[in-house]
Amino acid sequence: MEVEGHSKAASSPTKLRCLTDDDSPKLSISAQRSSGRKPGGWKSMPYILGNETFERLASMGLIANFMVYLIKVYHMDQVSATTLINVWTGVTNFLPLLGAFLSDAYVGRYWTIAVASVFSLFGMASMTLTAWLPALHPPACGGGKCEGPTPFQMGFLIMSLCVVSIGSGGIRPCSIPFGVDQFDPTTDAGRKGIASFYNWYYATFNVVLVVTLTIVVYIQDSVSWVLGYGIPTALMFCSIVLFFMGTHVYVFIKPEGSVFTGLVQVAVAAYRKRKVELPSLETNHRTAFYDPPLEPGSVVLSKLPLTDQFRFLNKAAVVMEKELNPDGKRTNKWNLSTIQQVEEFKCLIRVAPIWVTGILSLTPMLQQATFSISQALLMDRRIGPNFHIPPASIIVISFLTITLFVPIYDRFLVPFLRKFTHHQNGITQLQRMAVGILFAVLSMVIAGLIEMARRNQANAGGGSMSVFWLTPQFFLMGLCEAFNIIGQIEFFNKEFPEHMRTMGNALSSCSIALSSYVSTALVLFVHGTTGGDGRTDWLADDLNKGRLDYFYYIVAATAFFNFFLFLYCAKNYRYKGKESNSELDFELASSDKKLEV
């Protein structure tokens, strides 16, 4: 083993050298902040985390029990309700990509969150009206007959969901980056503050989920849907008030233009220079590539070194005759790109296979809010003689698992693993995600076995199984999220440059969106091919007649196949700014030292 005092990215003989070198890639925080204020730090956290907590209470208060709401109030069958939830989840998780673009290019994170919060409030208020006004939902069942929703009622419901989605599309990609903006990453205190912010963010998130899946869901299920949706709406209003109250202490960063424009410029420049020969690695070509110093006021804190991976893109940064003005600036940005732009494009290309394989890995997780709730509806939910657990509250097992396991993982497992791997985090983010995928597969297998036992007992006249038999599958799914979801968030935030992290958070949401559509496709495929000709649909409304366990096995098989695809992509992945394989480079606590194995 060899410990180096400098980054391998700077000393590797396979690196391409550049037009100019910036000996001080770090910018002072004041150069980044358009407002000229000192970093808000922890003074701004009560407003930001308070806003986040109330907003999540509102949004989770809507989705947590939504399957039950569609079945009981709108009298929808299971397949239709599941399809609506999955499609809406997909739209809600795609819109953050648009929100990230508008935030980074034009509006800024502050105003994106502010406007989006207002949309969320109107959406939640509309959802409350669907439960409050009789004209906006079907009448109660009578004489064993239940009427479905009219086109107007369904249209108003979908409109309300769309408004909520618009709000989520602005809040989700900006909330974490806006919180990070309040700290100075060039100081030890600032870096510690950012790390603590992530911890508090995850902690408040899990507290919100526990409160939502117990108190709010109980009110919706046992007291009143109007009150159950009215409380989250009131909390959303409090979220907006609290967010604006902190305006005087926030730090603002101006949008620097669309990230997508720079990426397209790289592609165009590389195509136009496709016949240009790259300089030989064996010669000194210091003036061959365009690498200007970072501009004052830029949110980019560190420059990326030019790597030899995807060499055809390097042609975009090759300086040709008459492409520079006398002052050293480019004559045409569509003909010549900076090394920073080229490497940012490479970051996106490298991440793409990991992102794609992450889509199928999330499909098992989506079953928690749909068919697992349908299972709970048919099971014995009694605690004592008078209290019945709301069906959606059983999901709290998953989030309690995350809440309890993450500190154990951080305190005990990471130090233990570090002794063997010499990696600061015990294992890499990619390895952490792989473990999460395995837990997802195991969760679906166990879910299928438990559903088979529940169905057999019910059909044999043995009564209803206790709802706590669902504990193993939710426990395993909690471990899946503790490894896979948190690993994905850390991976995207680390692998994207500073000013592209909003996009990274948006890509995480897009993974969930596409997973929702994959899940919908599986549901519709199974529903369309297993019924008819005297055969019972596997996903029949009466689960005792269907074979939900077979569907779970299909989901498990899909995730298991994806596991090997993920391993292949992870094995060939290179972390940002590195030439060697990602699994062979272990990062130490010091950001400028590498431990080579």
Side-chain angles (χ1 to χ4, degrees):
M1 291 190 302
E2 178 186 359
V3 179
E4 297 182 349
H6 298 283
S7 170
K8 180 180 178 181
S11 60
S12 172
T14 60
K15 286 290 185 293
L16 300 180
R17 301 191 67 184
C18 312
L19 177 64
T20 59
D21 291 320
D22 185 1
D23 294 330
S24 180
K26 299 291 184 182
L27 290 178
S28 66
I29 200 70
S30 60
Q32 302 174 59
R33 314 295 175 176
S34 61
S35 62
R37 302 176 183 174
K38 293 182 178 180
W42 287 107
K43 291 181 180 179
S44 57
M45 287 303 105
Y47 304 104
I48 293 177
L49 289 175
N51 166 264
E52 275 293 303
T53 301
F54 284 138
E55 189 277 329
R56 286 197 299 264
L57 273 170
S59 58
M60 291 303 300
L62 170 63
I63 186 59
N65 211 22
F66 197 43
M67 183 75 171
V68 178
Y69 183 67
L70 294 177
I71 292 175
K72 286 189 173 181
V73 177
Y74 274 76
H75 309 146
M76 297 176 65
D77 61 79
Q78 291 193 84
V79 171
S80 299
T82 301
T83 301
L84 176 60
I85 290 174
N86 285 335
V87 171
W88 173 56
T89 302
V91 172
T92 302
N93 286 285
F94 260 129
L95 286 178
L97 195 60
L98 177 61
F101 168 73
L102 294 174
S103 170
D104 290 344
Y106 304 107
V107 183
R109 290 162 185 162
Y110 172 83
W111 282 111
T112 301
I113 295 175
V115 174
S117 296
V118 174
F119 273 97
S120 290
L121 176 63
F122 282 124
M124 289 300 304
S126 299
M127 283 299 304
T128 304
L129 291 178
T130 64
W132 185 18
L133 300 179
L136 295 180
H137 62 258
C141 297
K145 183 179 180 181
C146 298
E147 295 183 15
T150 64
F152 172 74
Q153 292 168 343
M154 201 67 198
F156 191 88
L157 176 68
I158 293 175
M159 182 274 296
S160 302
L161 294 175
C162 288
V163 176
V164 172
S165 296
I166 293 173
S168 297
I171 295 172
R172 291 185 183 182
C174 298
S175 57
I176 293 180
F178 186 66
V180 173
D181 287 345
Q182 308 309 308
F183 297 95
D184 184 348
T186 64
T187 66
D188 289 336
R191 287 190 289 269
K192 291 178 181 178
I194 292 173
S196 296
F197 168 73
Y198 279 116
N199 292 333
W200 279 101
Y201 185 90
Y202 293 137
T204 57
F205 180 70
N206 283 291
V207 169
V208 164
L209 290 173
V210 172
V211 171
T212 301
L213 293 170
T214 52
I215 299 175
V216 176
V217 166
Y218 176 78
I219 292 173
Q220 293 172 345
D221 200 63
S222 304
V223 180
S224 167
W225 284 103
V226 177
L227 187 61
Y229 281 157
I231 291 175
T233 302
L235 291 175
M236 190 67 234
F237 177 77
C238 295
S239 170
I240 296 174
V241 173
L242 193 61
F243 181 74
F244 282 115
M245 285 176 60
T247 302
H248 66 289
V249 296
Y250 295 149
V251 168
F252 306 94
I253 294 181
K254 287 183 178 180
E256 288 200 332
S258 171
V259 173
F260 297 102
T261 301
L263 298 177
V264 174
Q265 287 173 345
V266 172
V268 172
Y271 176 78
R272 289 177 174 177
K273 296 180 179 179
R274 61 190 181 278
K275 297 182 180 180
V276 173
E277 290 188 10
L278 285 171
S280 173
L281 297 180
E282 287 76 22
T283 59
N284 186 351
H285 45 273
R286 185 176 180 82
T287 60
F289 297 94
Y290 184 57
D291 187 29
L294 293 173
E295 296 181 3
S298 171
V299 297
V300 179
L301 296 180
S302 58
K303 292 167 63 175
L304 297 173
L306 188 63
T307 61
D308 202 27
Q309 191 181 23
F310 308 122
R311 294 186 72 240
F312 63 94
L313 290 175
N314 294 348
K315 295 181 179 183
V318 174
V319 179
M320 305 295 290
E321 188 178 359
K322 298 181 180 179
E323 285 189 339
L324 292 178
N325 292 318
D327 59 0
K329 293 185 177 180
R330 291 172 287 181
T331 57
N332 189 336
K333 294 182 179 181
W334 294 91
N335 289 333
L336 180 63
S337 300
T338 66
I339 287 177
Q340 182 72 17
Q341 288 177 308
V342 170
E343 289 302 315
E344 287 172 358
F345 198 173
K346 290 181 182 180
C347 286
L348 191 62
I349 296 176
R350 292 188 190 103
V351 165
I354 303 296
W355 175 70
V356 170
T357 52
I359 294 169
L360 288 178
S361 71
L362 298 178
T363 304
M365 185 187 71
L366 298 175
Q367 313 312 315
Q368 294 182 97
T370 53
F371 289 114
S372 294
I373 304 301
S374 299
Q375 285 178 281
L377 280 168
L378 300 178
M379 302 179 81
D380 184 2
R381 295 177 280 113
R382 291 176 296 177
I383 297 182
N386 300 317
F387 183 77
H388 287 72
I389 301 174
S393 293
I394 195 65
I395 306 176
V396 77
I397 295 172
S398 176
F399 298 109
L400 284 175
T401 301
I402 300 172
T403 304
L404 296 175
F405 178 75
V406 168
I408 295 174
Y409 177 82
D410 210 35
R411 287 273 185 169
F412 300 104
L413 282 181
V414 169
F416 175 76
L417 293 171
R418 190 182 294 148
K419 296 178 182 179
F420 301 95
T421 64
H422 306 291
H423 191 280
Q424 179 185 3
N425 297 325
I427 55 177
T428 66
Q429 290 100 338
L430 294 176
Q431 291 168 339
R432 184 172 183 172
M433 291 160 63
V435 173
I437 297 174
L438 286 179
F439 277 122
V441 174
L442 187 58
S443 173
M444 286 294 95
V445 172
I446 296 298
L449 294 174
I450 292 175
E451 169 59 17
M452 181 176 63
R454 185 208 64 78
R455 177 181 178 274
N456 291 341
Q457 180 171 317
N459 291 336
S464 300
M465 287 177 61
S466 171
V467 73
F468 289 106
W469 275 99
L470 298 179
T471 298
Q473 68 193 61
F474 283 111
F475 172 75
L476 290 170
M477 193 54 66
L479 293 179
C480 163
E481 294 191 41
F483 280 93
N484 193 13
I485 302 300
I486 297 178
Q488 278 198 31
I489 293 173
E490 292 180 354
F491 175 78
F492 286 127
N493 273 277
K494 178 180 177 181
E495 289 306 293
F496 279 99
E498 291 86 354
H499 68 296
M500 295 178 68
R501 284 175 182 165
T502 308
M503 180 192 294
N505 283 282
L507 283 179
S508 298
S509 295
C510 288
S511 296
I512 300 176
L514 290 172
S515 296
S516 300
Y517 293 144
V518 170
S519 182
T520 300
L522 285 174
V523 168
L524 295 178
F525 174 77
V526 171
H527 178 63
T529 57
T530 59
D533 296 330
R535 296 174 300 170
T536 302
D537 181 1
W538 287 3
L539 303 177
D541 287 339
D542 185 355
L543 293 184
N544 294 333
K545 296 180 180 179
R547 295 308 305 251
L548 179 60
D549 51 336
Y550 290 173
F551 175 75
Y552 282 153
Y553 296 145
I554 291 177
V555 175
T558 304
F560 186 64
F561 168 78
N562 179 69
F563 172 73
F564 292 99
L565 184 61
F566 176 84
L567 288 183
Y568 175 79
C569 295
K571 182 180 179 181
N572 292 281
Y573 183 80
R574 293 178 182 175
Y575 279 122
K576 179 178 67 179
K578 294 184 180 179
E579 279 297 317
S580 57
N581 185 279
S582 62
E583 300 304 327
L584 299 180
D585 286 335
F586 296 122
E587 194 172 328
L588 292 173
S590 176
S591 61
D592 63 346
K593 292 184 178 180
K594 301 291 175 185
L595 181 64
E596 304 300 326
V597 179

